[in-house]
Amino acid sequence: MERLTFDLAAQPLRELNTFLHTGAKEGKVGHVTVLNPDGAHNIAVGLDCPIQVEVVGHAGYYAGGMNKTATVTITGSAGTGVAENMMSGKVHVKGFASNGAGASAHGGLLVIEGDAGLRCGISLKGGNIVVGGSVGSFSAFMAQAGRMVICGNAGDALGDSLYEAVLYVKGSVKSLGADAQYEPMTDEDVAVVASLLDQAGLAHDAKDFKRIASKRSLYHWNADANQEY
Amino acid sequence: METKPVHFKNISREESYGYDRKTLDYIRNAAAHGLYEIRGMGAKRKLPNFDDLVFLGASMSRYPLEGYREKCITKTLLGTRFAKKPIELEIPITIAGMSFGSLSANVKEALGRAATEVGTSTTTGDGGMTPEERQSSKTLIYQCLPSRYGFNPDDVRRADAIEVVIGQGAKPGGGGMLLGQKVSARVAGMRTLPEGIDQRSACRHPDWTGPDDLAIKIQELREITDWEKPIYVKVGATRTFNDVKLAVHSGADVIVVDGMQGGTAATQTCFIEHVGIPTLAAVRQAVNALEDLDMKGKVQLVVSGGVRTGADVAKALAMGADAVAIGQGVLIALGCNGETYFQNGAHHSAEADYNALGCASGYCHHCHTGKCPVGITTQDAILEQRLNPAVAANHLKNYLKTLNMELTTIARACGKQNVHHLEPEDLVALTIEAAAMAGVPLAGTNWIPGKGF
Ligand code: SF4
């Protein structure tokens, strides 16, 4: 398989993305290296083939957004909305990620080795997220399906208005959001966490994690419940 | 025989203006349920609207066109600013975004068929794109909503344009709602939700906040689609002058402004009636904003919320809109609020079903219940059979054709060979309120309130 290099200091972003949407699909190029990303937004968005993309440096907003089947690695940090609405494949951030990482991801795996900002995994719809560090407040807000593994700590209101997504946290949780609750870890949970940690390449003991899921008390309008959101 | 004087007791019926029967009813309901009322359709209260404007037809100072002989162009282009493939429509009347989930799959199909036949577009809603609507609709606008239910890159690529929804006229600042009765297995699957739950969706987008972020989000959608597809931005009408300016700055190709008369399938009544501004006021503010930025004609404006007739369309265009979008009018054309439904070649009364919902035909706003008596806003396997897509599509086609004929009739009378040449100078207002909101003179005067004499 061929390897290609795009230098964003010399080539416009549109050229890179257009190649990744069209030329890459021919299957001759297996690996693309992106140099000098310099925080550019929308790098490698909307990919739809199993190509490997390595962004050497820091990416701006929405890196790897709406990814399908591709593997996007960012050696530096990523801006807001990394891997937003990912369908499948993998996005791996070696550094930190800003707000809304993995927002509404329907599938695939997002790995953030460092910390993630606010609202990590918001509206998650089936994707998996593994964060090596800590996550900010309102993470997993309204998360519908999928799993989040947080190796560090979580901020305020973790899992607020959760639907069916499940969260696993190793460190401390500043506070749980409305309708989120701790539940006992089953053997199945331990196996799931171990497998995700393994896929992320992070060494932690799966047994050290706590499970958080929805109380499901907000699933139906209830006149007798005081609105305690 | 002695006759007794007859005494008639005087029963007082002095109604209180503040505590009229509607208010009494509201308070009793609140006391009985402890929950706000949720309902469908749009604002029911009397608002200044397009009926408060009239056209100044041509006479001595202007020259009319012959109604039946001279051509009047209705072609409409949307998305000419950045997109490589702008939307080309035969008429400036489009179908507003309504979700599969709120509407049945049959209705979505009917909308697509009718729109395709008359050469206009349909729009998805909160809940993703169904194969039925993509197949039946030649020009399909794909909404990107805060909930992102069912939102996926394949449908982004399949769409003809993308509409980033910030808000809607019925509930600017509010998120979507779909009550459990309508969250069927298929709807739940498309939205990744447990079946039968009362769905509450987010009111803010998950991955951006504010206009600077939106600019990057729009650029992302352009990059994903290789700059081919127009990007619309839809706002519910509130601070429309500023919102339209910010949408232009964010890089929108088309701006959709939805006034407070705009419909909904399920929203709190207090929201529908008390948040947002009337469409008439919103159009003026939107056009002013575009003119202020010298973007009129470069960024197109679509107006929705209570557009019902060809005259309404003509007035919206004269005020500066490039096109309109219709939701409730379209549903009514399909049979909403009708006394009967048409099934197996015969009309059947729907009245008992309206009564079961606690209303009657003509008064129904019960889309949220999922028990639409005429099979439109339902996911019920039996009720949805009450709407035949072919018959419904035919009615909708007739409705759209009628509106378009009315529109061109008015345009010709004003001497325009192209409906897009209608201008504010063709309009005057019948009320001071409408004159002030629409920014056109009160009929018979030169007075535009707020602009001096
Ligand atoms: S008839 Fe159906 S679509 Fe019309 S208001 Fe009633 S429930 Fe809604």
Side-chain angles (χ1 to χ4, degrees), chain A residues 14 17 21 41-42 46 61-62 65-66 68 84-85 87 106 125 144 161 163 218-221 223, chain B residues 33 147-148 151 153-154 157 179 191-192 196-198 200 207-208 213 216-217 219-220 223 226-227:
Chain A
R14 216 184 289 188
N17 281 330
H21 298 155
H41 304 308
N42 305 318
Y61 280 44
Y62 310 130
M66 300 203 102
K68 259 183 94 186
E84 66 82 22
N85 217 94
M87 303 305 289
H106 286 66
K125 290 177 168 55
Q144 297 167 229
S161 307
Y163 287 102
L218 296 178
Y219 278 20
H220 298 280
W221 301 104
Chain B
H33 298 112
S147 72
R148 304 285 164 87
F151 195 66
D154 294 325
R157 288 183 276 263
L179 299 190
R191 300 183 186 211
T192 329
I197 65 153
D198 292 324
R200 56 214 143 83
D207 55 352
W208 63 268
D213 281 9
I216 305 170
K217 184 72 201 170
Q219 201 206 15
E220 184 203 13
E223 284 291 327
D226 297 317
W227 293 73

Side-chain angles (χ1 to χ4, degrees), chain A residues 65-138:
Chain A
M66 300 203 102
N67 185 47
K68 259 183 94 186
T69 68
T71 300
V72 179
T73 306
I74 297 153
T75 65
S77 291
T80 293
V82 62
E84 66 82 22
N85 217 94
M86 172 161 55
M87 303 305 289
S88 61
K90 184 175 176 185
V91 174
H92 191 133
V93 183
K94 304 263 185 187
F96 297 97
S98 182
N99 299 338
S104 77
H106 286 66
L109 175 67
L110 168 64
V111 178
I112 298 157
E113 293 192 14
D115 297 332
L118 303 170
R119 300 184 293 279
C120 179
I122 181 174
S123 295
L124 193 66
K125 290 177 168 55
N128 290 318
I129 301 179
V130 181
V131 182
S134 298
V135 298
S137 296
F138 287 104

Side-chain angles (χ1 to χ4, degrees), chain B residues 241-309:
Chain B
F241 182 73
N242 292 331
D243 289 347
V244 166
K245 282 191 155 184
L246 292 170
V248 170
H249 282 300
S250 300
D253 292 301
V254 177
I255 297 170
V256 183
V257 173
D258 191 23
M260 75 179 283
Q261 294 102 313
T264 170
T267 299
Q268 299 91 327
T269 304
C270 61
F271 223 140
I272 300 177
E273 298 286 359
H274 300 281
V275 184
I277 62 170
T279 306
L280 197 62
V283 189
R284 168 55 48 229
Q285 289 206 359
V287 174
N288 284 352
L290 291 175
E291 283 173 347
D292 223 48
L293 295 171
D294 196 22
M295 278 292 172
K296 179 100 192 358
K298 293 173 199 151
V299 169
Q300 283 82 29
L301 175 67
V302 178
V303 165
S304 59
V307 177
R308 307 148 301 169
T309 64

Side-chain angles (χ1 to χ4, degrees), chain B residues 335-341 348-366 373-374:
Chain B
C336 159
N337 267 298
E339 288 159 22
T340 59
Y341 59 92
H348 307 270
S349 171
E351 215 54 61
D353 296 295
Y354 283 111
N355 294 165
L357 290 173
C359 66
S361 59
Y363 302 93
C364 188
H365 56 219
H366 290 60
V374 291

